[in-house]
Amino acid sequence: MTESSTPQDYVPGTHPDLPPPVRTTGPIGWARINLFSSPFNIVLTLVAVYVLMSIIPPVVEWALVKSVWTAENRVDCWAQMEVPEGAACWAFVKSRLQLFIYGFYPQAERWRVQLSFVLLIFAILPVLYDKLPGRRHWFWYVVAFPFIAGWLLVGGFGLTPVDTDQFGGIMLAVVIGVTGISFSLPIGILLALGRQSDMPVLRLLCVLFIEFIRGVPLIVLLFVASTMLNYFLPPGTSFALLMRVLIMVTIFSAAYIAEVVRGGLQGIPIGQHEAADALGLTYWKAHRLIILPQALKISIPGIVNTFIGLFKDTTLVLIIGMLDPLGIGRAALADAEWAGLAREVYLFVAIFFFICCFSMSRYSLYLERKLHTGH
Amino acid sequence: MATENQTDSRRKVASAMDSSEMAISITDMHKWFGEFHVLKNINLKVRRGERIVICGPSGSGKSTLIRCINRLEEHQQGSIVVDGTELTHDLKNIEKIRSEVGMVFQHFNLFPHLTALENCALAPIWVRRTPKAKADEAAMKYLERVRIPEQANKYPGQLSGGQQQRVAIARSLCMNPRIMLFDEPTSALDPEMIKEVLEVMVELAESGMTMLVVTHEMGFATAVAHRVIFMDFGEIIEQNEPHEFFKNPQHDRTKLFLSQILHH
Ligand SMILES: Nc1ncnc2c1ncn2[C@@H]1O[C@H](COP(=O)(O)OP(=O)(O)O)[C@@H](O)[C@H]1O
Ligand SMILES: [Mg+2]
């Protein structure tokens, strides 16, 4: 028995619950702990407040408070401002909005783009929410979606054909991004499994493919797509430029996904393979039910990182003459009526990409938290 | 424990020494890891319902031996016949044998992304094509049998070591195996959890299951084993009925080994 310095006036095991010490909870407690806990922390907090105070108000004033939303042209826009060129002229972006969204897709057929977009939302829903009723039945819809959307956008089989050269703007970025993401994930997983296979020939092929694609810049692959790819096709067949770009973007991203997934596969203890084998599961069942769910979970940050990179890289297609949102913006700036409004255009394009990529990043965090089962 | 019944049933099994009654029959089996000769001339016949404890120093090849029985390791020479089916490169045979031989690992190897119940129902659903409702019901029955039905919906990460190992036993039993292999099932557990796992194993033994258990739990060996096998340097050095084995070890290496595990 040790003697305690203060006498104990309760029976052991009956210590009452006490409230936590004051000022460790609530907003004041939070600020004390997180913002003002040490001299260095105080300085850091003050510097951050100063920097934010000197940046945010002018930007808000330029972009929102004093901005102009309706005007005929640049001169008209500036005439409406206290100081010419002193605020944003969103009227410019507004006048080009249709172009930013649909590119040169024929006016009369734009409902097909809108319908595809609605279908896309329904295809993403079961991926986002696993509690959706009848989620199993959605699976085939999700698999079929790229083909349905492809038919809607390109036409044929009863719909007026639309030349893929007329695709542009946000619609083009989404087409390349969604196609790249949805095809590169399964291809990347297969490449990662091939790289781990016991079959030397298969393993070698996968390693060569992955290392070759990873060792070449995407821009080079895009130039290959725009100039050389037709040499490899049988004479007489022409292959739309968009199709070639989609293939290049997909295999480029698949090579990266393969490496990310391989990292995840290596993080799975050998005991998981053995337990699955010992229960009599086949290779494919073991991977589908045991190995991949765990490996993909570890790989989520890397996979989403690759997808974000892919989506941003869609702007590179402007180098081979396709007009993604950035390309549309640059073309619009060449218009004499509106020239000189680059800030508005680039900010608009930046915000579009930021919203898409930031949502993906948030979704990946949500997924990680949801899949955490305490191990 | 009902020791009289135990010795009685042991005698019964010993009298039924018919070759068709063999659950496992290993003949002149050798295995190498690269240049390293890990199992040397193994001959072992296990009758149906027989319970064998395998012991021996670390690195002597105990795990490798039982892992050859369900082809987690491949042998290079000799033959292994499990339940009348010889283990060859034929994948169909391997899958058939694996679905009839349950295995419990030292580190449990539960699937961490699935609940205890899902761990148990997975193989019946995907290997045996049992409808989910029936598989869940059977899984629940086995979780009750290992006395943790209340943990059915927890993930392995939320269970203690002893509970995880009992889920692992239930998971194997859900496939209705005819043979159970245990590779040091209690050696990764804290002392207070060893008992709860051994109790489940003793009950399983009393139900007549054919069991091969790698363990150094001598109490367990004496209580349920028909035979204790001692291995060293990849060979079976000595085997005997447990009381004789512990009282009268024949071989010097066995004596040395027993003195070491009894005096640590
Ligand atoms: N996959 C492997 N590759 C090479 N050597 C191995 C492998 N697995 C086990 N060994 C070696 O084989 C011997 C026997 O191992 P093991 O069967 O695990 O022994 P035990 O279970 O009796 O401790 C040890 O020397 C071990 O280092
Ligand atoms: Mg071992």
Side-chain angles (χ1 to χ4, degrees):
Chain A
M1 271 281 139
T2 51
E3 274 181 49
S4 103
S5 49
T6 47
Q8 192 169 291
D9 55 0
Y10 56 87
V11 186
T14 62
H15 195 299
D17 291 339
L18 301 176
V22 273
R23 302 206 170 201
T24 56
T25 55
I28 296 175
W30 182 88
R32 271 174 68 98
I33 293 168
N34 291 292
L35 302 179
F36 303 107
S37 60
S38 67
F40 178 66
N41 202 345
I42 293 173
V43 171
L44 216 58
T45 303
L46 294 179
V47 169
V49 168
Y50 174 76
V51 169
L52 289 177
M53 291 293 282
S54 46
I55 290 177
I56 291 178
V59 170
V60 169
E61 198 178 69
W62 178 83
L64 298 173
V65 181
K66 295 193 172 164
S67 60
V68 176
W69 291 75
T70 25
E72 293 297 313
N73 53 37
R74 168 174 63 148
V75 181
D76 182 19
C77 217
W78 289 342
Q80 298 178 43
M81 294 175 192
E82 298 164 23
V83 190
E85 298 191 61
C89 177
W90 295 120
F92 175 37
V93 173
K94 230 170 93 185
S95 77
R96 301 296 171 119
L97 199 57
Q98 296 292 311
L99 211 54
F100 268 118
I101 296 174
Y102 301 103
F104 304 98
Y105 208 85
Q107 205 100 38
E109 306 291 334
R110 286 190 179 164
W111 62 270
R112 282 153 55 175
V113 180
Q114 291 154 3
L115 180 59
S116 306
F117 190 73
V118 173
L119 292 179
L120 170 66
I121 291 174
F122 279 104
I124 292 176
L125 272 183
V127 181
L128 294 185
Y129 300 108
D130 54 352
K131 298 217 166 45
L132 214 63
R135 187 161 172 264
R136 274 161 179 271
H137 307 294
W138 286 77
F139 176 77
W140 293 111
Y141 169 66
V142 174
V143 170
F145 167 77
F147 303 97
I148 298 174
W151 168 64
L152 271 175
L153 294 176
V154 178
F157 304 104
L159 287 172
T160 323
V162 175
D163 195 338
T164 51
D165 293 347
Q166 292 177 297
F167 286 23
I170 289 175
M171 172 233 169
L172 178 65
V174 172
V175 166
I176 300 176
V178 170
T179 312
I181 287 172
S182 49
F183 286 95
S184 68
L185 185 60
I187 295 174
I189 291 172
L190 291 178
L191 282 172
L193 292 178
R195 198 173 179 162
Q196 306 240 303
S197 152
D198 330 314
M199 286 176 260
V201 177
L202 179 63
R203 198 166 56 221
L204 184 71
L205 286 177
C206 292
V207 171
L208 284 178
F209 180 86
I210 292 169
E211 295 303 338
F212 175 75
I213 299 293
R214 286 207 312 162
V216 178
L218 179 57
I219 298 189
V220 174
L221 290 180
L222 290 177
F223 276 124
V224 170
S226 74
T227 57
M228 277 170 58
L229 214 56
N230 273 344
Y231 289 123
F232 301 118
L233 295 170
T237 49
S238 92
F239 216 42
L241 177 62
L242 177 66
M243 198 62 196
R244 291 179 255 156
V245 165
L246 289 179
I247 291 173
M248 284 305 182
V249 169
T250 302
I251 62 176
F252 184 77
S253 159
Y256 280 87
I257 294 286
E259 285 302 279
V260 171
V261 172
R262 185 169 71 104
L265 288 171
Q266 283 174 340
I268 305 303
I270 184 79
Q272 295 289 304
H273 292 268
E274 292 178 351
D277 286 348
L279 287 169
L281 291 162
T282 60
Y283 174 88
W284 288 110
K285 280 178 188 166
H287 276 82
R288 190 177 130 207
L289 301 165
I290 311 295
I291 308 301
L292 282 174
Q294 297 181 60
L296 292 180
K297 191 192 120 181
I298 310 176
S299 318
I300 289 171
I303 291 175
V304 175
N305 200 29
T306 308
F307 286 163
I308 288 175
L310 179 157
F311 193 63
K312 291 193 299 183
D313 282 350
T314 58
T315 55
L316 291 176
V317 298
L318 82 89
I319 290 179
I320 54 167
M322 302 183 90
L323 295 179
D324 82 310
L326 191 60
I328 297 275
R330 289 175 61 86
L333 285 173
D335 183 348
E337 291 269 284
W338 295 100
L341 296 173
R343 282 179 296 188
E344 286 82 344
V345 168
Y346 293 139
L347 190 64
F348 173 75
V349 174
I351 287 174
F352 162 71
F353 279 105
F354 176 77
I355 289 175
C356 296
C357 296
F358 188 66
S359 326
M360 284 195 249
S361 150
R362 288 279 106 183
Y363 173 64
S364 111
L365 284 180
Y366 156 81
L367 205 59
E368 274 173 61
R369 232 172 290 134
K370 194 186 70 177
L371 295 179
H372 185 75
T373 56
H375 56 274
Chain B
M1 225 153 297
T3 21
E4 260 171 50
N5 274 347
Q6 290 272 316
T7 33
D8 218 39
S9 79
R10 275 176 214 177
R11 235 173 262 128
K12 244 183 268 164
V13 171
S15 66
M17 274 267 280
D18 181 13
S19 68
S20 69
E21 292 286 303
M22 286 304 165
I24 302 169
S25 169
I26 303 178
T27 319
D28 300 335
M29 190 268 275
H30 294 258
K31 167 160 185 65
W32 289 262
F33 281 124
E35 292 286 303
F36 175 49
H37 199 173
V38 57
L39 292 178
K40 303 164 187 165
N41 198 31
I42 302 290
N43 281 285
L44 176 64
K45 310 268 176 281
V46 183
R47 294 179 298 276
R48 262 183 230 301
E50 195 177 15
R51 299 185 286 275
I52 293 181
V53 160
I54 303 172
C55 61
S58 164
S60 56
K62 309 178 295 293
S63 301
T64 310
L65 172 60
I66 66 165
R67 287 156 59 87
C68 281
I69 294 170
N70 67 351
R71 246 311 153 121
L72 289 184
E73 303 288 358
E74 188 185 327
H75 62 284
Q76 280 92 29
Q77 208 174 303
S79 78
I80 302 178
V81 179
V82 180
D83 223 17
T85 311
E86 177 164 3
L87 272 170
T88 57
H89 285 282
D90 186 344
L91 274 180
K92 280 275 159 296
N93 276 353
I94 294 174
E95 273 155 25
K96 175 169 170 281
I97 287 172
R98 281 177 174 170
S99 67
E100 285 171 11
V101 177
M103 184 161 206
V104 175
F105 301 86
Q106 180 176 358
H107 296 287
F108 332 132
N109 297 356
L110 290 177
F111 306 131
H113 61 302
L114 301 176
T115 62
L117 188 76
E118 289 166 341
N119 263 278
C120 292
L122 181 107
I125 293 173
W126 291 95
V127 178
R128 295 240 192 277
R129 294 165 203 280
T130 314
K132 186 174 180 306
K134 256 181 100 181
D136 282 350
E137 196 184 312
M140 209 56 213
K141 192 183 86 190
Y142 283 109
L143 285 174
E144 266 158 35
R145 196 161 144 193
V146 299
R147 293 192 282 267
I148 34 174
E150 71 283 358
Q151 313 287 358
N153 293 315
K154 287 203 182 154
Y155 287 96
Q158 300 165 320
L159 302 176
S160 75
Q163 291 171 329
Q164 290 191 50
Q165 193 60 297
R166 285 185 283 153
V167 174
I169 294 173
R171 176 175 73 178
S172 289
L173 292 179
C174 280
M175 288 294 280
N176 291 316
R178 311 180 67 160
I179 300 165
M180 285 285 287
L181 309 173
F182 293 81
D183 191 0
E184 306 207 30
T186 57
S187 51
L189 296 177
D190 292 336
E192 73 269 23
M193 293 170 187
I194 293 180
K195 195 164 148 273
E196 66 191 44
V197 171
L198 287 180
E199 276 170 7
V200 167
M201 289 171 62
V202 169
E203 275 183 29
L204 189 61
E206 284 164 355
S207 76
M209 176 68 77
T210 309
M211 292 164 79
L212 262 79
V213 185
V214 175
T215 185
H216 293 162
E217 293 293 331
M218 293 311 150
F220 174 80
T222 326
V224 306
H226 297 108
R227 227 191 319 167
V228 179
I229 288 179
F230 174 70
M231 284 183 75
D232 202 1
F233 298 109
E235 287 179 85
I236 295 180
I237 304 285
E238 171 168 0
Q239 44 183 310
N240 213 333
E241 178 277 323
H243 291 284
E244 268 307 295
F245 178 86
F246 292 118
K247 227 188 298 158
N248 266 328
Q250 301 297 307
H251 208 284
D252 285 345
R253 284 196 234 160
T254 320
K255 286 175 193 161
L256 179 66
F257 173 73
L258 286 177
S259 72
Q260 278 164 350
I261 59 164
L262 294 177
H263 294 121
H264 74 243

